[in-house]
Amino acid sequence: RVELPRGALRDVANARLRRDGSDVPAQFTADATWDDGSTRTLGVDFNVSIGPLERRPYVVEFGPGVKSSALGGRGLSVTEEADAIQAGSFRFSRTGAPLAVAANYFKTNFVGTGRNGLAVIDRAGVRHEVASAQGAAVTIVKPGPLKAVLRYTGRLTLDASTTLPFEITLEMPNSKSWLKMSATVQDPAARIRQIAFDSPLAFASLPLTWDF
């Protein structure tokens, strides 16, 4: 992430990443903007293999006369459907309940049945699922091709008078076959005691080697 002065970059298409005088394929996102609409925080995603204690300097160039270099090669494709979002091999519901609908590898779906997604347990031990959340919505933060990011937001309902804002972020790099999921719940009154995050897996026939 690179912090930029106000008015310096109005279109992320006018940014590029360079190393040793050559362009490096990179994906740029305006993570935050100034009040005039220009980019305040520039997100830079790119692939690199680096050894222990190795250092590599990169330069971000930006401005009206700068053009992003072509990404080229294969990448993550994110497509929206009426009831789901497909990101590479992963398929997600629009409501977040269930969260990951499918993860297809080697023509096999590794998402099983059961609890799937975010829930909170309140001080009384009662479980509250995202399925009952108010205003649940999903936003495509980064559409690929080097990195895809989805973000779910809404308010979890504890009782008739209490709702808590939540956020679930899903991150997928094109260089790996994994999904990073993180969740936060705003609870200033300490009404909940635990956040639960469930992902049901369906394993194929044995023998099968898995890396967790």
Side-chain angles (χ1 to χ4, degrees):
R1 305 179 76 202
V2 181
E3 301 297 324
L4 302 179
R6 179 186 281 105
L9 180 63
R10 299 192 176 278
D11 189 340
V12 295
N14 296 124
R16 66 183 177 189
L17 184 68
R18 293 176 61 82
R19 179 175 181 269
D20 295 335
S22 299
D23 288 358
V24 177
Q27 176 182 315
F28 297 96
T29 310
D31 289 346
T33 58
W34 291 98
D35 52 10
D36 65 353
S38 61
T39 299
R40 181 171 184 168
T41 303
L42 181 67
V44 186
D45 293 293
F46 61 101
N47 293 323
V48 59
S49 294
I50 195 165
L53 304 181
E54 182 181 352
R55 295 174 61 91
R56 290 190 193 176
Y58 289 84
V59 176
V60 175
E61 296 181 348
F62 56 90
V66 175
K67 296 295 182 183
S68 295
S69 58
L71 289 173
R74 299 175 58 186
L76 281 173
S77 175
V78 179
T79 56
E80 295 187 76
E81 301 176 11
D83 59 348
I85 296 178
Q86 186 77 34
S89 299
F90 294 100
R91 186 176 180 84
F92 307 97
S93 72
R94 284 191 166 276
T95 61
L99 184 58
V101 179
N104 292 297
Y105 292 97
F106 309 110
K107 299 181 180 180
T108 301
N109 178 23
F110 291 108
V111 176
T113 58
R115 288 175 172 172
N116 188 329
L118 175 71
V120 298
I121 292 85
D122 64 22
R123 288 293 179 184
V126 179
R127 183 184 178 98
H128 305 272
E129 306 280 352
V130 165
S132 62
Q134 300 179 16
V138 60
T139 302
I140 299 176
V141 180
K142 296 186 178 185
L146 295 185
K147 185 178 183 180
V149 177
L150 307 182
R151 182 165 295 141
Y152 291 82
T153 56
R155 301 185 71 91
L156 286 162
T157 302
L158 294 192
D159 53 45
S161 61
T162 306
T163 61
L164 303 178
F166 73 88
E167 182 178 287
I168 305 171
T169 302
L170 311 178
E171 302 178 68
M172 295 148 280
N174 78 322
S175 59
K176 301 292 182 181
S177 58
W178 52 256
L179 163 68
K180 177 183 177 181
M181 299 185 286
S182 58
T184 58
V185 179
Q186 297 182 37
D187 181 29
R191 295 288 302 273
I192 64 175
R193 72 181 186 190
Q194 184 179 4
I195 293 178
F197 210 86
D198 298 291
S199 297
L201 299 178
F203 293 94
S205 59
L206 298 177
L208 194 66
T209 300
W210 285 81
D211 179 15
F212 287 97

